[in-house]
Structure formats: structure tokens, C-alpha cells
Amino acid sequence: MGEQLAQIARFSTNVRPLTPLAPGSAANAMHAVSRLLASALDAAGPSVVQGALVREARELFGVGSVFLLSVDPEERLARVIAFDSVEAPAAARFPISDLPDLEDLRRSHAELRGAQLATLGLALGMRTPPGFALSLPMRTREATDLLLILADADVSRAVRGERARLAAAFAAAAAGSLAQLRLVEEQSARSAEQSALARAAKTLNETLDLPAVLDAICQESRSILGGDSAAAYIGRRDEALVIQAAVGLADTDIGRRMAPGEGLSGRVALADRAMLTNDYQRIVRPAPDSPFTTVQSCLSVPMHWEGELRGVLSVGFTRARFVGAQDLALLEAFGEIAAAACRNASAAAGLALAARTDGLTGCLNHAALQEALAREMQRAHRSSQELSVILLDLDDFKQVNEREGHLVGDEVLRRVGQALRVATRPYDIVARYGGDEFAVIAIDADEATAHEIAGRAIERVRLAMLALGRPEGANATAGVAARGDRNDGAMLLEEADRALLYGKQVGGRGQAIRASELPDSYRRRTDGLTPNDPGRMVAAAPVARPKDPPPPTAPKADPTGDDDADRLAKRTRQLTLANALGARLAAMTDPAEIVDAVVDELHREFGFYLCTVVQIREDDYVFAAATRGLPAPPLRATRWSQPRDAGIIGRALRERRVILNNDTSRDPSFCFCRETPETRSELVAPVSVGERLWGALDVEEARLDAFDADDARLLETVADQVGSALRSAELYAQLERAYIGTAEALAAALEAKDAYTARHATSIAGWADAVGRRLGLEAPALRTLRYGAIFHDIGKIAVPEAILNKPGRLEPDEWAIVKRHTVVGEQILAPVEFLSGVLPIVRHEHEAWDGTGYPDGLCGMSIPLGSRIVLACDAYHAMTSDRPYRPALDRHAARQELCEHAGTQFDPLVVDALLAVLDGEDAQPALAVAGG
């Protein structure tokens, strides 16, 4: 910029001004540039400096209008970013290809003449076309991205000759001041971008629910770039993209399919590279019904996981906003974070689905059915909607297995599962109930609607059997029961089961039987009927069913020693193990439980001499995180460890691949271990958690040539499952920390409302935990109990402080407000999925053992155990604390109160456990003193 100032100074000595300090004089130019520098140094922002620039230029050169244009060199698009004119420009942007004299940006300045003037006026939307216009390119960092336009309707005020050259020098000097400001802004923007990316990464890793992740991706990407809308598409290359989440768009746009190559996102998917445009309407030409008809600028980046393109992320701007390479690089960086979050969520969803799905039929398994039924029963109860259950049983399926074998039987079950999924509505829930029985939860369906669904299901099963070459009979019978006034899923299943048994035993085979139409005699146990009596039935209680179908039976090894048969049997066992292990790990969130389950399953199935999960420590040693087999006790006793690079384990970690050694005596890298003296074969697979090398899975045998390629594949598969499970556990821990943050925020809000209530909640959490342990609660239940103790009074946020701190007796209407706090607390916590198990504790914490409590008047064992524990701890702490309406009782008197009300207000067993905990607390100081 110094060169331009020197040029202006030379003008001041070589050019005779028209008048002292006349418009456009060099002296005035110097003053104008100095004022620009001052505004730039104030760091008031680019808009302030740009506004000062056009004002200074208009005053300096005495023209009617000055426009500052930002130019996109790739798309040759100009946009007005600042102006000083009696007439504001109507157009926000226009292609500079319409003005050839503006396209040659290498010139220092150019005067527009003839038709170019009219075109400029039209491009800017000016009502009065200019009679004169001078274009002044402004170079920053060797590139021209700004144009200063001096224009006037009066040709007599044209800036030409020496004044035009002075204007060019002024523009160059002004460009320097803008460049300085831009450098400061870019540094600040980079810092802000890094902070935004870090915040976004934290947000995206707080959940493993894919829809929630996609919603967060849209929210964060729009926030980071300041966009008006953002959309996350799912789809592969050369396939249609589907909008799975969006912000700034209508709800009806979710689920919209975009044809391959449609829109900027479609082009990004085809090319598999990031793209941007600042002229979306002209470049993309969206269809009239497109949700993007108002978009002006847009950026789109591909998202990859599992080794291929899986989606596209787009951010759009409906207002005037030029986007550039830096914006695109920022979105690409965020896109990588977003893709990693999607990969983790997809993996978690896959694991969760595997844990909930019956491997043979593709339907939900028995455990998932019970979970879904409980959830839908609660939902139906809250919303007063209908709900029905269908139980469907295959007729004479046992004979299929006996006559045609289990392989044919398995194929029949597969076809039935597929037929049921086709016959039911998309939102109905289909599950394998056990053996050859299936269940359907018909959402928002009364008994008549469910009966129609059951009829369609039976017909679909019949057609599926015909397609399988089994024309005999209708092949299935169903029982149907509606929820009615029942709020117990087990009772609903029992009714459907009774209707099914009636159909199979009394002559309704091949039909759907309604529970409401059963004869009264079939609703109770009847004894003394003859076997041939058509009214004869089994006991009214449902027939016991296996909770889960047994795993497929592995083919028996050929007794003649056929190698192929032996290998097939072994391979089947391996696949069965992998499936069972995947389902077991999917339900685990504790790393120690995960690795222990792995060695437990492997050793139980194959009886390895040693099976160990080794983990890398921070000191670059590996240690046995979990182990099974004969050497396991000495390994645990000696706390075995070795350098991470040592032995066959070290090779597997260095090379990040499975290492198989069937004769350790010939391997110089093998490390002899005194705890495993009989090892002759060793197989090691590395375990990675995300991109991080976590440890390895090591199995050893006491015989030579113990392992083959199938064993190596199995161990590699299991190692991948372990890595995925550990990654899910890490993400779950992050999610739990996020929810704990939410919990702390809620607790802080309560403390601001009532400091006693918050301290009180913290205090009883310890007692509740100790009581729960004495009563045999396991870790998950204890965690829920602790949260229940912390939040049992959270609903008091809705109670006025005047009532909370009232020193005297409460009036009936005041007491009614206080009693509502348990229901309010449940409502406050309901949106936090992590705290779903806490809701019953919070709602029922003031229920009494004899049924005189509130809000629902529950009694005895119908009150959740957590509520009974919290109530006793709550009462004891309240009695031993000073309150506005009474002084505290001493500890002895408070215990007497607990004992007196055990069996009326309190659960006697809980009181006994709490007294034992309190006795232990009292004994603690004495023991400490006795110990010196």
C-alpha cells in the first residue's frame, strides 16, 4: 500500500488541482486514505470500512453514485456489498459476463461507454441509467476480487485523465487497508472455526441415535457457516439422495428424494467432491416445486463412512452472501466430523438391531417384543389410543421338522417372517415369539382392525407356503386381543394366547380368533371334561413359551471323519458364536464387561488353553484385561504384562493384522511366559477402537497346528466386534457425561429455587445407594436409584418460594400445589431419554406402603422399589434437618419415627436396611479412633 500512497503523493506535486482541495485532488485523496486506514485500525468490521470507502470515494471525486462490488472469479458473478448513492441498487448480484469491460480485471481502470452504461444500469436495477461509469479493480494478495464503480447521470462530472489515474491509485491504496482488515478477520475466523468445530464434535458425539445425529449435523453446520438452511442427505453414488434431516426447510421436505445428479448435492454425489455456487438459480435451475427456489448461494460436501460415499451435507443461503474456498474447506472439515458421527451411530444402530433381531426370520426377538409391548402399552395409556396384539402359530410345524428336516423348517420360518412383515402396516411391530409362533403389535388398532390384519397375515403365510411348494392347508392360526382397559402387556399376550389355543383346539384352525368372542367357559379352568368334548381346553393360564428360540443346531460331524463335514460343523459353530456374541455385546456399555464377555464366550464354546484380551497401557505395556483358561489364575495373580512390541502380540499390534503361529518353538519373536508353559500354538488379532489401536485378542493352545484360516477369520471378526462394542461404550460414556451435565444444570436450577432441597437431594443419594446395595440391586439399577434420589424433588421448581419456605401450616390449596411436584418432576425429566428409568421413582416417591400416599395411591410392592427407598431416606433427612416450620429432631428420635411408621408409611424391609446403613455410619468414627 505504501507504493500507492507514494503515487498519490506524486499526484499532489505534479498535478495542478482545479481548485484548492478540489474534488478528486491528490491532497484530498491522501486525507481520504488516512481516514480509511483509521477505520480499518479500529477493527470495526468490514461493513464499516466498506461503507467508509464508498462515502470517501463519492465525496473525493464528486460523483452521484459509488458502488463496491465483490466478484466471484470462478462463476464471474458480481454482488453489491456497499454503495453510496442517491438511488439504491435494486439488484443484489449479476453476472459480469454481461459487461465485457468489467471482465478484464487485469487493467488498472476502465471507463464504460455506450451500451455498457445501459447494461450496468439494468444490472444494478437503477431507474436512471448512468451517463458515465468508471471501473476500478481493487487487488488484494495478487488477486482481484473487488470492483469500485464511480458513476453519474451527468457526463460533465466524469472522472477521466489524471483524475482517473488518481482514482485508480486511491482504489489500490484502499484495497491495501481492506487487505489488512481481512488478514485480521481471517485469523479471528480461523480461531472461531476451530472452536466451532470442537463444539460441534462434542455435540455430535453425545448421542448414538442416527436421526438425532443427523439433526445435530444440520443445526451445527448451519450455525458454523451462518447459513439460512442445511440439509443432510443419505444415499450412495449414482443413487437417489433422500433428505433425512434439515433445518430451515419445511417438515414436508424431509424424506424428499433427489434424482441422481439433481441439485448441487446430486452433482456432489456423482463427482464425489465438494462444490459451491454463488449463482444457484442460474447454475442449478431447481424445479418449481423444489424447496430450494430461493437459494442464492450453496455449499455441498460428500460424507463417507464404511469406505464409501454414504451421504451429502449442504448449507444454503437465501440472502446475499458470497461463499468461497475457505467456507468450503470449513464445511469439508465439519463433514468429516459429521461422517464419523454417522458411522458411529450406524454401527451402534446395527449392533442394537442385531441384539433385537431374530437371526433366522429377521423379525424382532422375544426380548425386543416384550420391550416394545411395554413401551406401546404406556404410550397407548397416555394417549388413550387403541392397541392390539396378534399371536400367530404355524399348524403342524413339528411334522415339517420331523419329515423334512430342520433346514426346510428354517426356510419355512424365514418365509413366514417375510410374509408377516409384508402383511402388516409399516408401523406395526412383528416379532418371533418363540419356536414357530409369531407376534404382531398392531399400533392404534382396535380388535376389529387387528382381526383384519391377522386375516391378511394368514393369507400371506398360505401364499408363502404355496410358493415354497407346500400346498397343504391354511398353515397358520391366529389369536387377537385388544388392550381395552388393560395396562399390562403380559395380560394382553395371555388373552391373545388363549384365543389362539381356542382356535387350534376347538376347530378354528386356519382362522383368526378374537379373544372377545371366546365362550365364557373357555375363560376359566374347567376340569372333568372328556377328551373328546369340544369344550375341552388346557389350563386357562397361557402355555409356557421359550423366551427366545434356540440357536440353530450345528450339523453333527460325520462319524467317518469326513474333513468337509468336520469343517462345516466347526464353521457353523463359529458363525453361531459370532452372532450370539454380537447380540450379547450390543447390550453392554461397560468396557470391563465387554472384554470379559468375549473371553467367556470364546472359552466356553471352544475350550481354548488360554483366551485373553490384552489392552495397551499408557506406559506402552500390554496387560491382561480379561482372561479364561487354565493359566488364567496365575496370570491374574502375577498381574502379567509385557512391552507392547514384544512377542507375537507385538507383531500383531505393529502390523495391525492377524498373526497365526502353529509352532511357537520355531518363532524367534515368541516370548516364553512362565504362567503359560504349555503354549505351542498362538493366534492374535489386533483390536482397534475407531482409528485408535486399543489392544489385541489372543488365544493359545497346548498342541501344535491348533489353528487354521477359519479360526483366524473368526478371531478377526470377534476383534472387530470388540472394537465396535468398546467404541460404542466410549460414546455411551460421553453421552452419559452429557446427560450428567444436564442433570447438574437441573440441580443448579433447583438450588437457586430452594437451597435446602438441592442439598437434601445430594445427601439422600448416598443413603439410597447404600440401601440399594444392601437390598441386592445391581449396577444399572443403582445408577437409576442415585438419579432418582437426586431428582425426586425437582418438581418443586414449579412450587412458589412463598409456599416452600412458609413457616406455618399449609392451606389446603397450598398443599395441593405441593403434592403436584411429583407429577411435575416426571414431566420435567420425561424429555431426557437417559433418565427414563428415573421417572417412576420421581412420580411415586411419596406413595405410602398402606396406599395413603400420592399421586396415585399405590400400595405395597406395587410401589417401585426405588421410590420406597428414596421415601425412607427422604423422610429421615427431613426429620433431622431444620425447616422453616419446625426444628430438627435428633437422630435417635428420627429412627424411632421410621420404626413406628414401618408397615404403614414405609416398606419394613427398606427401613431395616436404612437403619443398618445408619448404624454403620455411627460406628465409623469409633472404628477410626480405635485404629489410632
Side-chain angles (χ1 to χ4, degrees), residues 669-688:
S669 68
F670 175 71
C671 286
F672 176 79
C673 176
R674 66 176 182 272
E675 290 88 356
T676 58
E678 298 179 33
T679 297
R680 295 296 178 268
S681 300
E682 186 171 8
L683 180 61
V684 183
V687 174
S688 294

Side-chain angles (χ1 to χ4, degrees), residues 267-406:
R267 300 181 186 190
V268 165
L270 287 177
D272 199 6
R273 65 179 179 85
M275 296 181 185
L276 67 85
T277 178
N278 283 301
D279 196 7
Y280 188 89
Q281 298 303 311
R282 183 173 64 88
I283 299 298
V284 176
R285 300 185 185 279
D289 65 339
S290 168
F292 309 115
T293 52
T294 59
V295 171
Q296 296 188 46
S297 300
C298 185
L299 310 101
S300 292
V301 298
M303 293 192 295
H304 300 86
W305 66 90
E306 296 177 3
E308 61 178 322
L309 184 139
R310 302 297 297 272
V312 174
L313 175 62
S314 290
V315 176
F317 301 82
T318 56
R319 66 190 188 282
R321 158 78 153 86
F322 262 31
V323 295
Q326 186 173 345
D327 297 306
L328 192 62
L330 175 59
L331 188 60
E332 284 187 285
F334 176 76
E336 292 179 3
I337 297 173
C342 288
R343 181 188 63 235
N344 294 335
S346 297
L351 290 172
L353 182 62
R356 293 166 49 83
T357 303
D358 174 61
L360 180 61
T361 64
C363 302
L364 293 184
N365 58 28
H366 186 94
L369 166 69
Q370 297 290 356
E371 177 187 329
L373 182 57
R375 182 181 64 248
E376 292 302 327
M377 289 289 285
Q378 291 177 2
R379 183 194 60 79
H381 177 62
R382 290 194 305 267
S383 60
S384 299
Q385 289 184 331
E386 301 287 350
L387 184 74
S388 297
V389 164
I390 303 166
L391 283 184
L392 183 143
D393 183 82
L394 299 183
D395 298 334
D396 303 320
F397 180 72
K398 181 180 179 182
Q399 297 179 19
V400 175
N401 278 333
E402 291 176 351
R403 290 199 312 262
E404 304 177 48
H406 288 281

Side-chain angles (χ1 to χ4, degrees), residues 546-568:
K547 286 190 175 181
D548 274 308
T553 304
K556 295 181 179 179
D558 190 333
T560 62
D562 185 278
D563 291 340
D564 289 340
D566 288 344
R567 183 178 180 186
L568 177 60

